[in-house]
Amino acid sequence: MRIDVLSIFPELFEPIVANSMLGIARERGALEFYAHDLRDWTHDLHRTVDDAPYGGGPGMVMKVDILVPAIEDIAAMDSRLPHVVFTTPTGNVFNQDKAAEYAGRDRLLLVCGRYEGFDERAYALADECMSIGDYVLTGGELAALVIVDATTRLLPRVLGNADSAADESFSAGLLEYPQYTRPAEFRGQRVPDVLLSGNHAAIDAWRYEQSVQRTRDVRPDLLDLLE
Ligand code: 6GU
């Protein structure tokens, strides 16, 4: 799939996207990624992307006359029409279902908000608005990176261990069970015997039980969603 981001800090993306699983996804041709500098669409000497709000008040608003041509131009860079997502704390909260939906699309354009937000007229170009949680970031760039990461790892041919995805869907909506690796004993703490037993049915049952218990303790709201 192709992902474009539009930001006033395009250089923030490359170090993340070039490394880890995202870098592998790119090498394998599963991900095509482009970060565009919104200031490339300005015409003035100061490369102005924001202005004071009509009606007064604190902060600055991102200019519609810069955003809209930028989004239109980026959309036209490929024959595939992008699904356009604005990152803003006023959007719907991103989750795993959304990541799976995006992984099934062939093109995404993430528009990163800064300052007090976008001029309301720019939203006409948004297919949807996404937040990544109930806290305020200085801008949408980190949110966009979260969306890129969660989406890319679900693309075919990306996840290192093909079983990981299947295991996740089996335990969908539950937190991960505890994991151990060698040594079998560390400072008196032993790995649970069942994991050394070689009995795979017993191991699966233990893990499921641990996932349910952990979810009940830490995120009971997730169990409510399953019912
Ligand atoms: Cl998408 N943007 C900003 N600025 N803050 C956020 C966010 C987005 N999601 C959670 N907090």
Side-chain angles (χ1 to χ4, degrees):
M1 84 179 289
R2 171 172 176 154
I3 303 180
D4 294 86
V5 297
L6 178 60
S7 164
I8 57 166
F9 296 112
E11 66 280 1
L12 287 179
F13 293 87
E14 195 54 35
I16 307 292
V17 174
N19 286 285
S20 180
M21 207 184 275
L22 297 181
I24 293 167
R26 236 172 166 189
E27 280 169 27
R28 294 189 184 166
L31 173 69
E32 237 182 300
F33 181 86
Y34 304 95
H36 306 273
D37 189 345
L38 181 62
R39 293 191 198 279
D40 290 348
W41 277 270
T42 59
H43 305 286
D44 64 316
L45 195 64
H46 295 104
R47 309 186 84 199
T48 309
V49 293
D50 62 318
D51 203 344
Y54 276 116
M60 299 288 268
V61 176
M62 294 182 80
K63 287 166 61 59
V64 64
D65 54 327
I66 306 300
L67 283 167
V68 168
I71 293 166
E72 288 170 344
D73 287 349
I74 294 165
M77 287 175 183
D78 192 291
S79 60
R80 291 166 286 185
L81 199 69
H83 182 70
V84 179
V85 179
F86 284 23
T87 58
T88 161
T90 60
N92 296 114
V93 180
F94 184 71
N95 61 19
Q96 192 65 20
D97 287 345
K98 216 17 118 171
E101 180 204 311
Y102 288 172
R105 294 186 177 276
D106 59 4
R107 192 171 174 212
L108 213 57
L109 168 52
L110 301 171
V111 181
C112 302
R114 277 271 152 183
Y115 317 108
E116 295 304 301
F118 304 101
D119 183 303
E120 192 64 23
R121 293 165 292 183
Y123 289 106
L125 274 70
D127 292 303
E128 61 184 329
C129 295
M130 279 288 141
S131 162
I132 60 164
D134 295 336
Y135 38 81
V136 181
L137 303 168
T138 56
E141 283 75 14
L142 288 171
L145 278 166
V146 165
I147 293 169
V148 170
D149 188 291
T151 300
T152 301
R153 65 182 286 282
L154 298 179
L155 294 175
R157 297 175 293 135
V158 173
L159 208 63
N161 177 3
D163 290 339
S164 299
D167 199 54
E168 259 172 31
S169 66
F170 170 70
S171 56
L174 295 178
L175 300 182
E176 267 292 353
Y177 46 77
Q179 296 274 28
Y180 300 85
T181 188
R182 289 182 293 184
E185 184 173 337
F186 177 70
R187 296 185 181 172
Q189 302 176 89
R190 299 233 352 120
V191 172
D193 285 335
V194 63
L195 298 178
L196 309 175
S197 69
N199 181 341
H200 290 290
I203 292 169
D204 287 348
W206 181 84
R207 285 176 166 170
Y208 183 72
E209 177 61 26
Q210 291 287 316
S211 280
V212 172
Q213 199 172 303
R214 182 177 274 186
T215 308
R216 197 183 294 126
D217 288 347
V218 183
R219 292 291 306 276
D221 56 304
L222 293 179
L223 290 177
D224 295 340
L225 288 176
L226 291 179
E227 280 153 14

